[in-house]
């Protein structure tokens, strides 16, 4: 039973880190589930303070993940087309076999989205795409940082309770 929970917890950690880059996977909440699975191991004492605070942070980061790119786009004069273009560009950038597609895709997607919104104002479209892209990078960095911290907590907890697993 302990090995199953350890394996599932580690799997959640890896999926959470991957999810910090993919807009369809909520990375921090998935990583939090990995922490929860370790605490569900029968011989490990549950620390509700850590579980509660990490859950709160995971939910807050998930909410901010939707707010930050939108605010970046709005601050730079963009529309919802730029936000949708960012997300679609990210997915295409991840799937396309080009180097740094996950970085290039959101910017190009936001630019194309803004040009669809108003094809006559190229300067505004470029400015809005830049804002959307900066917002995307900021939220992605936050999610990645939180999932790495959760991985560190996971590994520390497993190390501390090494005798339970091995």
């Amino acid at each position: 039973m302990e090995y199953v929970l350890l394996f599932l917890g580690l799997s959640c950690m890896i999926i959470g880190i991957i999810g910090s880059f993919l807009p369809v996977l909520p990375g921090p909440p998935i990583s939090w589930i990995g922490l929860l699975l370790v605490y569900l191991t029968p011989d490990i004492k549950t620390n509700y303070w850590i579980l509660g605070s990490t859950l709160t942070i995971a939910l807050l980061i998930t909410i901010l993940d939707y707010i930050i790119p939108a605010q970046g786009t709005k601050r730079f004069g963009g529309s919802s087309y730029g936000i949708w273009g960012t997300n679609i560009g990210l997915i295409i950038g991840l799937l396309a076999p080009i180097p740094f597609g996950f970085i290039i895709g959101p910017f190009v997607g936001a630019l194309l989205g803004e040009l669809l919104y108003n094809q006559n104002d190229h300067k505004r479209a470029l400015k809005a795409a830049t804002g959307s892209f900066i917002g995307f990078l900021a939220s992605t960095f936050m999610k990645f940082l939180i999932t790495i911290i959760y991985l560190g907590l996971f590994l520390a907890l497993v190390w501390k309770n090494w005798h339970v697993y091995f």
Side-chain angles (χ1 to χ4, degrees), residues 4-26:
V4 172
L5 290 173
L6 179 65
F7 176 75
L8 290 175
L10 185 59
S11 298
C12 285
M13 288 293 155
I14 293 168
I15 292 170
I17 290 170
I18 293 169
S20 67
F21 294 102
L22 298 174
V24 294
L25 290 175

Side-chain angles (χ1 to χ4, degrees), residues 24-97:
V24 294
L25 290 175
I30 292 173
S31 289
W32 181 83
I33 291 171
L35 286 174
L36 176 65
L37 288 171
V38 170
Y39 278 117
L40 291 177
T41 303
D43 294 334
I44 295 178
K45 185 180 178 212
T46 304
N47 187 334
Y48 294 106
W49 171 251
I50 290 178
L51 281 176
S53 60
T54 54
L55 176 62
T56 303
I57 291 169
L59 294 176
L60 180 66
I61 293 295
T62 302
I63 292 168
L64 286 175
D65 183 38
Y66 293 102
I67 295 173
I68 290 174
Q71 289 301 317
T73 302
K74 285 181 184 177
R75 289 241 169 156
F76 284 75
S79 68
S80 63
Y81 284 75
I83 297 168
W84 278 102
T86 300
N87 291 330
I88 293 169
L90 172 64
I91 294 168
I92 292 172
L94 286 169
L95 298 175

Side-chain angles (χ1 to χ4, degrees), residues 67-141:
I67 295 173
I68 290 174
Q71 289 301 317
T73 302
K74 285 181 184 177
R75 289 241 169 156
F76 284 75
S79 68
S80 63
Y81 284 75
I83 297 168
W84 278 102
T86 300
N87 291 330
I88 293 169
L90 172 64
I91 294 168
I92 292 172
L94 286 169
L95 298 175
I98 58 172
F100 303 107
F102 67 96
I103 295 175
I104 297 169
F107 180 79
V108 171
L111 181 63
L112 292 176
E114 289 299 330
L115 287 174
L116 281 174
Y117 178 72
N118 184 357
Q119 61 185 1
N120 296 328
D121 194 358
H122 297 283
K123 186 176 181 180
R124 188 197 62 76
L126 183 62
K127 184 178 176 185
T130 302
S132 180
F133 180 67
I134 289 170
F136 163 75
L137 287 180
S139 66
T140 299
F141 177 74

